């Protein structure tokens, strides 16, 4: 795994709040909020630009385009795993194994923090086989935030990634 240089003041709680704020005040979807709360880290390490992260996470909100499949915040975690434990050469099986192990570790932490699932519809308490929703994103009203656990879930996802980054840094 790669020990990324972390900025001064980097902490689990700071990243949790940053992700929540990006979702609540920035209007980003769940995947984008998780990715973008680490944009400064990835930019400082020469790995990705903020604009690129916002682009690649844009279709993964609402459990992939509001289809309520894999939670977007978990998708963001899985995407971040590639920067933490790169597996970009298909000929290096050990790298892919390490990356998959990290994603599985993230999934376990995510499930433990969020009621046992990584699936958006289950996290939101929706029916098991929903119809595909209108692709138009929901308006971010006070009622929207009251009835959805998304902000908390996003914060938990960011905290799990931050904990791993600190663990790796402190282990090396």
């Amino acid at each position: 795994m790669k020990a990324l240089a972390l900025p001064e003041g980097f902490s689990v709680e700071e990243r949790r709040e940053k992700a929540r704020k990006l979702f609540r005040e920035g209007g980003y979807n769940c995947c984008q909020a998780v990715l973008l709360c680490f944009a400064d880290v990835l930019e400082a390490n020469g790995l990705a630009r903020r604009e690129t992260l916002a682009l690649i996470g844009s279709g993964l909100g609402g459990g992939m385009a509001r289809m309520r499949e894999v939670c977007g915040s978990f998708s963001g975690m899985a995407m971040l795993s590639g920067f933490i434990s790169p597996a970009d050469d298909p000929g290096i099986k050990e790298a892919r194994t390490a990356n998959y192990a990290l994603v599985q570790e993230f999934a376990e932490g995510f499930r433990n923090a969020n009621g046992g699932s990584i699936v958006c519809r289950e996290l939101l308490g929706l029916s098991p086989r929903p119809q595909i929703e209108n692709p138009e994103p929901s308006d971010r009203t006070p009622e929207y935030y009251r009835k959805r656990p998304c902000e908390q879930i996003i914060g938990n996802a960011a905290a799990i990634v931050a904990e791993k980054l600190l663990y790796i840094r402190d282990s090396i």
Side-chain angles (χ1 to χ4, degrees), residues 78-100:
M79 293 166 87
L80 287 165
S81 77
F83 296 108
I84 299 167
S85 183
D88 55 340
D89 183 338
I92 304 174
K93 188 175 182 179
E94 297 81 13
R96 187 172 299 172
T97 300
N99 177 268
Y100 288 0

Side-chain angles (χ1 to χ4, degrees), residues 138-159:
S138 299
D139 291 331
R140 300 286 183 90
T141 63
E143 177 62 21
Y144 171 91
Y145 291 110
R146 267 195 303 278
K147 71 179 186 175
R148 295 180 187 274
C150 302
E151 188 178 340
Q152 181 68 35
I153 292 167
I154 290 161
N156 290 342

Side-chain angles (χ1 to χ4, degrees), residues 117-170:
S117 183
I118 64 168
V119 177
C120 176
R121 72 176 157 272
E122 293 171 3
L123 294 166
L124 296 179
L126 301 174
S127 63
R129 292 186 163 202
Q131 299 290 344
I132 292 181
E133 293 185 33
N134 179 329
E136 183 179 343
S138 299
D139 291 331
R140 300 286 183 90
T141 63
E143 177 62 21
Y144 171 91
Y145 291 110
R146 267 195 303 278
K147 71 179 186 175
R148 295 180 187 274
C150 302
E151 188 178 340
Q152 181 68 35
I153 292 167
I154 290 161
N156 290 342
I160 293 163
V161 174
E163 286 171 357
K164 188 63 173 183
L165 290 172
L166 288 168
Y167 175 79
I168 294 167
R169 182 197 68 189
D170 295 344

Side-chain angles (χ1 to χ4, degrees), residues 44-121:
N45 284 274
L47 296 172
R49 294 179 51 227
R50 178 181 180 82
E51 297 80 10
T52 302
L53 296 170
L55 286 171
I56 64 174
S58 63
L60 299 176
M64 298 190 176
R66 299 192 78 219
M67 293 188 293
R68 308 301 179 200
E69 298 296 339
V70 174
C71 173
S73 57
F74 179 73
S75 294
M77 294 173 74
M79 293 166 87
L80 287 165
S81 77
F83 296 108
I84 299 167
S85 183
D88 55 340
D89 183 338
I92 304 174
K93 188 175 182 179
E94 297 81 13
R96 187 172 299 172
T97 300
N99 177 268
Y100 288 0
L102 178 58
V103 173
Q104 289 179 8
E105 178 184 333
F106 281 169
E108 185 65 21
F110 187 91
R111 286 185 188 105
N112 289 338
N114 299 303
S117 183
I118 64 168
V119 177
C120 176
R121 72 176 157 272

